[in-house]
């Protein structure tokens, strides 16, 4: 889910919140100065296979819903990527910038990764990998060794990102996943964005460094 606090509440577009009928993601559209809205999406992709063949997990619920819709031969994960891709296309056709985050139960580096295909198809970048390109793989789940909790975003939002990192388990609440924390410059994120920007890896100084900008 998504919680808006403080001044962000006033940026919510009229009717600018919703979600997927199957409960796979939720979203908000936030207004910006002289720019199309910024859409933030929180999502969850089910595991490749459930622990038990029968049950009432998110996997089983989505499978039943797909079967009721006549989609009997599609895996819930395949349907997730296909439907989320269609939603992203509709946003990008309206020039929305996107911040997408969630528990994908797979890593971008996995073989035949659906989330990697999604990122490539929609030109979304992994801001953590962009900021720490040489950092080795690590687990974001207590029983895993892969980074399955990921954020993706439109490339031109990257300069607005000030800090990003994975926090220790249980920092915010009791969870078997590491929280991923992102801190943005709200002035930049919601202000007027130039058409062309250098990637953060090419920005060798900060504006507060007087010697660098003289």
């Amino acid at each position: 889910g998504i919680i808006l606090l403080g001044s962000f509440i006033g940026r919510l577009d009229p009717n600018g919140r919703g979600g997927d009928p199957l409960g796979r993601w939720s979203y908000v559209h936030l207004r910006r100065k002289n720019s199309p809205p910024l859409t933030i999406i929180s999502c969850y992709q089910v595991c490749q296979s459930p622990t038990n063949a029968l049950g009432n997990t998110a996997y089983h619920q989505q499978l039943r819903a797909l079967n009721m819709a006549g989609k009997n031969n599609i895996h819930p994960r395949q349907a997730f990527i296909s439907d989320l891709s269609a939603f992203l296309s509709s946003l990008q056709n309206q020039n929305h910038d996107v911040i997408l985050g969630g528990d994908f139960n797979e890593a971008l580096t996995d073989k035949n990764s659906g989330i990697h295909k999604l990122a490539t198809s929609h030109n979304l970048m992994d801001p953590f990998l962009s900021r720490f390109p040489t950092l080795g793989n690590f687990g974001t789940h207590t029983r895993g060794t892969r980074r399955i909790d990921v954020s993706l975003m439109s490339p031109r939002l990257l300069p607005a990102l000030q800090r990003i990192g994975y926090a220790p388990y249980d920092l915010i609440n009791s969870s078997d996943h590491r929280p991923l924390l992102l801190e943005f410059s709200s002035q930049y994120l919601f202000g007027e964005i130039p058409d062309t920007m250098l990637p953060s890896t090419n920005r060798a100084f900060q504006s507060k460094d007087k010697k660098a900008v003289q």
Side-chain angles (χ1 to χ4, degrees):
I2 301 173
I3 300 175
L4 297 179
L5 301 173
S7 61
F8 290 97
I9 298 174
R11 294 191 177 276
L12 184 65
D13 247 9
N15 302 316
R17 58 182 177 178
D20 166 61
L22 299 188
R24 297 171 295 183
W25 65 79
S26 58
Y27 66 87
V28 293
H29 302 317
L30 301 180
R31 294 176 296 179
R32 298 187 293 174
K33 180 181 178 181
N34 300 326
S35 297
L38 165 68
T39 296
I40 300 176
I41 307 168
S42 174
C43 59
Y44 173 75
Q45 178 176 233
V46 298
C47 296
Q48 180 64 34
S49 57
T51 303
N52 300 309
L54 300 177
N56 198 38
T57 65
Y59 178 99
H60 296 101
Q61 293 177 38
Q62 291 179 24
L63 187 62
R64 288 195 292 268
L66 291 169
N67 289 339
M68 290 177 63
K71 301 178 180 179
N72 302 314
N73 297 317
I74 185 170
H75 192 282
R77 287 165 67 98
Q78 182 183 354
F80 170 81
I81 294 298
S82 176
D83 294 343
L84 182 55
S85 179
F87 180 56
L88 288 171
S89 291
S90 70
L91 296 173
Q92 292 178 330
N93 288 339
Q94 301 173 69
N95 296 319
H96 284 220
D97 283 317
V98 173
I99 299 175
L100 167 69
D103 171 9
F104 294 101
N105 278 305
E106 68 175 351
L108 288 163
T109 54
D110 287 354
K111 184 178 180 181
N112 299 322
S113 169
I115 191 61
H116 182 272
K117 179 181 179 181
L118 188 79
T120 302
S121 300
H122 295 279
N123 190 32
L124 299 177
M125 63 181 305
D126 177 354
F128 185 83
L129 184 61
S130 176
R131 189 63 58 91
F132 304 104
T134 60
L135 190 64
N137 201 11
F138 60 93
T140 59
H141 186 272
T142 53
R143 297 189 301 275
T145 59
R146 300 169 299 148
R147 196 162 56 93
I148 63 173
D149 300 276
V150 177
S151 176
L152 300 172
M153 67 173 60
S154 303
R156 69 177 186 154
L157 297 180
L158 185 62
L161 181 65
Q162 295 180 321
R163 297 178 182 86
I164 183 171
Y166 288 90
Y169 295 105
D170 300 328
L171 175 69
I172 300 175
N173 54 24
S174 180
S175 174
D176 52 3
H177 289 259
R178 290 184 184 273
L180 174 58
L181 307 179
L182 296 86
E183 181 178 336
F184 292 92
S185 164
S186 59
Q187 181 179 3
Y188 188 95
L189 190 65
F190 295 108
E192 188 170 350
I193 300 179
D195 290 334
T196 58
M197 287 179 270
L198 290 174
S200 63
T201 52
N202 293 336
R203 291 184 289 120
F205 64 87
Q206 295 181 350
S207 60
K208 294 182 180 179
D209 186 347
K210 295 182 178 180
K211 293 182 180 180
V213 298
Q214 286 178 349

